[in-house]
Amino acid sequence: MQSLLERIVAIVGEGNVLTGDDVAQRRVDWMSGASCRAGAIVRPADTDELARVMRLCHAVAQPVVTHGGLTGLVHGGEASPDELAISLERMTAIEAIDPIGGSMTVQAGIALQTVQEAAAEHDLQFALDLGARGSCTIGGNIATNAGGVRVIRYGMMRQQVLGLEAVLADGSVVSSMNRMLKNNAGYDLKQLFIGSEGTLGIVTRAVLRLQPRMTSERTALVACPDFDGVTGLLRHLGRTLGGSLGTFEVMWRNHYALLTEESGRNTPPLPARWPFYAIVESLGSDDAANVAQFSAALESALEAGLIEDAVLAQSDAQRQGIWDIREDIEGLIDNLSPLFTFDVSLPIPDMADYADALERRIGERWPEGRMVIFGHLGDGNLHVSVGVGSGDPQTRRDVEQIVYGPLAELGGSISAEHGIGLEKRDYLPLSRTPGEIALMRTLKQALDPKGLLNRHKILAAEE
Amino acid sequence: MQSLLERIVAIVGEGNVLTGDDVAQRRVDWMSGASCRAGAIVRPADTDELARVMRLCHAVAQPVVTHGGLTGLVHGGEASPDELAISLERMTAIEAIDPIGGSMTVQAGIALQTVQEAAAEHDLQFALDLGARGSCTIGGNIATNAGGVRVIRYGMMRQQVLGLEAVLADGSVVSSMNRMLKNNAGYDLKQLFIGSEGTLGIVTRAVLRLQPRMTSERTALVACPDFDGVTGLLRHLGRTLGGSLGTFEVMWRNHYALLTEESGRNTPPLPARWPFYAIVESLGSDDAANVAQFSAALESALEAGLIEDAVLAQSDAQRQGIWDIREDIEGLIDNLSPLFTFDVSLPIPDMADYADALERRIGERWPEGRMVIFGHLGDGNLHVSVGVGSGDPQTRRDVEQIVYGPLAELGGSISAEHGIGLEKRDYLPLSRTPGEIALMRTLKQALDPKGLLNRHKILAAEE
């Protein structure tokens, strides 16, 4: 690797090839705090430098791992000593903003929050939002097809990308920097790189879609009498709020109760006595009209028996108080540690039975075990948190079997928004058919025949 | 081919392999009325039959052309006597509807309108809509990534597909029938088949996304003083209507005047004296609230000088009268015949200059020539209609040069929603980079190495 690194230094400059302690002190997993073990970290300044680096790597079959903000949850950033990490941390430019067409052109290393703020300066919004906004990068958001709390209204990252540029394994550059909403001139190549976790190419630049900014965001917490109430409410709000429904997050009682009355960590805006709680938001431009429409929708839901009670936040503090319950990951860690978290999706009508069976099976196996659930229910996405008293790998695998096992029959997914990475790789056949996995391998082979990009992520090496 | 056909008859049955007159009487191009020239038309009953047919074809390298509703505009359905046409006309079943999760599972040969109507029966909507709804099929909509008049609100066909199943060139079946909004378990393979015009696989089934049905559709025709008014109005309505803005269709004065005052074909709701006219729609669930919000938005646009005048349709008849102008393709054919039509996209800020230059260049070359423009402006999509007195192929190529030529520099596209097919294939390099075209070839080679599926469509054979 040494002579390769010397040639890479000649491209990116001495200060941009990190080795030794500069590598080890970098954390590649914010949950475990694990250190980077890559042979070196290379920080190109632009697409051209990266392309030249990749041509060198390709010539000598040097594998690489791409690093964005390192906020992933499936060990996608892990690298071994025989791999180089490619960090896009120097590629953070905003190249152009078109407020009329509604687009922003950026380098892939830029942080999500920086993009959100730049859009807001033009009275527009970038619609993707998630907790890691300050650290995660647009390139990482693209590579993982990030989700978050606004998917029900604006879709996932895939829907926010108009065009992109990627460097392939052999160092060739595919520039597909489309700026229009509509472009049917041949294959839509950007789709290959969105959500493929860096295994087919390294995203270097992107054209992002900007949306009109909604100035009125209204938040309510509601309690539902049963799961039919939850799904009935989802349909009711979809119909009555139309394009204004911005969030539909559901907490099972076990989740809500744990983080409010049981632990005392958060003040419950509603007592923890009903089986389901939903955070719903209505987005509009005229606040008075938005409040009127939202209040009427909640009132008719109450009359129809879809909800038992509701609190419409009257201040930013109240709004934050509601979200604090939903976002209190520390509360989960404190109470369920060692904590196993899961990100699954399944057809909404099957969710209640799935959750009940999960709780039962965990209780049977670990009488002291505990499971709580919240999720982006409107998107079919549940986050399952489990604590069974032990954090060892075999226990984790046992819990995984219970959580992932039923998904195959339900047509669910072992990953709604976090991706596969290394963590879920062995379970991929639960969610994808043999034909799908064969086609994934065909694509990987076609684009990266030497297997240099994010080795062993998503797909295991063929036996 | 004869012995192959006998073996295919054994799979699909005698009545489902059409030859001779039964082939010739079928029209593959609704605009020209051209006859089908395929060696035979094969009509499988289901995925399994099609897979078996394709395994036979693959074994003897028999090329095929897939037929949906045959409403395309780029000669995608053309077949030569040495090709078989595969028609999905018998595969029209609705297999399942999930009103809670919001999805419908169908076979690919079903007509768009049938899907729309089935969704409406569950008080839901299928959001794709376009003029050919009665004839075009879901499989064709997927293969061409169809657009239409609701893209600004709901996106193109790509956004309406949750999962699909496809038969590959070798007869293997890729079943990727995901039903959730979120599924990041590995590569999102459906994207390969959406918009690739049947060149990578034959779509046989799909899971479609259903949306809440909007019961209030309000339509206005407005006149803008200049192009800044048009783009200002687009931003203004995006902000003030938020998720309710359902349509933003613009007619240049030349288009509006021709089809109203000049030809007398349609009654002009507003005099034809301003440079731009827009049809805008606001979609809501509460009609009174929708009208109030829409009226207020138009009023403030008037005050801000973005529009000169506006008519808010007060009845279905008035609404239809407005749409009749926009949809009067016969009027274009009558007045510009022989008519050349084009479907392009480009960054919105560049549109006015592009249109002006086009009109000037056509006028210089053909003093009697005429060009009119309308389009889904909010999507960056213009439809250009040109009549220069001659319909011969060389004249068409001359006009194409003028229409497509400037798009390369502007980063525009030679096809916004119609696809490439055979018609635009030679111009693909104007809209796509060499790196992109090389990657398209890589994909085609990986999925269809014998080149059997929709031969020569999108990509020419390599020289």
Side-chain angles (χ1 to χ4, degrees), chain A residues 91-96 104-110 115 138 177 204-208:
Chain A
M91 295 176 59
T92 60
I94 294 176
E95 298 180 353
M104 186 187 303
T105 306
V106 299
Q107 286 182 306
I110 192 170
V115 167
I138 289 297
M177 296 288 279
T204 47
R205 293 162 70 219
V207 185
L208 305 175

Side-chain angles (χ1 to χ4, degrees), chain A residues 176 183 185 187 199 413 432 436, chain B residues 176 183 185 187 199 413 432 436:
Chain A
S176 194
N183 186 348
Y187 305 166
T199 61
S413 173
R432 305 301 292 265
E436 289 181 289
Chain B
S176 194
N183 186 346
Y187 304 167
T199 61
S413 173
R432 305 300 292 265
E436 287 180 290

